[in-house]
Amino acid sequence: VNADVLPVYEREGIAAAYWQIGFEPVPDALPFALAHDLLFMGTAYSAERLALETVLHELSRSVGIYGHGWQQPSGNTFYNFAQGAALYRHCKIAIGDNQYGDKGFVSNRLFEALANGAFLMHQTIPGLEELTGLIDGVHYVSWRDYDDLRGNVGFYLDNEAERRRIAQQGEAFVRAYHSFDARVREL
């Protein structure tokens, strides 16, 4: 899931290829979920993540932050894919970050958000389009830094039709090309 290591493996004679995760299927009947303007799921394992939490709370009064270690947690959905799906289906904007900067490295939450119809705003991931086919502005919207995130959130919170259009394209693409069935076909 990290293409930066492939040249190292090749140099060492290790056969390897980029092979990403898929999204988890969930039942049709999902649990109750709040509808947040901004939603972030993950663990607060760094100062950068805690800074992101602060920025998100500056951008909206309706912020859901789910996971361990947060200053103002809304709950925890760790490996509760049905609850996560319900939250993604009800939020206006799902936020994703990329602290490592490695080529193609993403969390499964990118696929979970898109597969469940969320409008995803994700921090730039080097090589994402090349490796996955996901296109910024078509399937999701990227952000580079907090100023970029602020501007994008302000624009897209006010543009429901554009959010819906991008979310629908992202969901259709991920369901077609990033399911576990698709991964087995790739293998």
Side-chain angles (χ1 to χ4, degrees), residues 57-73:
H57 281 292
E58 291 170 1
L59 295 174
S60 175
R61 289 178 296 162
S62 175
V63 176
I65 308 247
Y66 292 80
H68 296 289
W70 298 102
Q71 297 170 76
Q72 299 176 53

Side-chain angles (χ1 to χ4, degrees), residues 21-35:
I21 193 166
F23 63 88
E24 294 288 336
V26 294
D28 290 335
L30 294 175
F32 170 80
L34 296 173

Side-chain angles (χ1 to χ4, degrees), residues 84-169:
L87 286 162
Y88 282 132
R89 291 179 189 186
H90 288 92
C91 74
K92 289 184 180 176
I93 301 175
I95 303 291
D97 69 343
N98 180 29
Q99 294 185 55
Y100 302 109
D102 295 332
K103 185 176 180 180
F105 182 78
V106 297
S107 162
N108 68 316
R109 287 181 299 277
L110 179 142
F111 299 105
E112 298 296 333
L114 292 174
N116 285 292
F119 171 77
L120 178 64
M121 194 172 290
H122 204 289
Q123 193 172 17
T124 302
I125 301 163
L128 186 68
E129 182 175 346
E130 165 197 344
L131 294 165
T132 67
L134 290 165
I135 301 170
D136 180 16
V138 174
H139 304 115
Y140 74 104
V141 169
S142 71
W143 58 276
R144 295 176 307 284
D145 55 33
Y146 292 145
D147 288 336
D148 196 29
L149 177 64
R150 286 180 182 98
N152 283 343
V153 166
F155 176 80
Y156 284 102
L157 277 178
D158 291 337
N159 286 281
E160 181 180 354
E162 187 66 4
R163 281 196 327 264
R164 183 172 293 134
R165 182 186 67 75
I166 292 172
Q168 288 171 343
Q169 292 176 158

Side-chain angles (χ1 to χ4, degrees), residues 15-43:
Y18 182 81
W19 196 45
Q20 219 4 293
I21 193 166
F23 63 88
E24 294 288 336
V26 294
D28 290 335
L30 294 175
F32 170 80
L34 296 173
H36 301 286
D37 283 352
L38 305 177
L39 173 66
F40 185 90
M41 287 192 254
T43 301

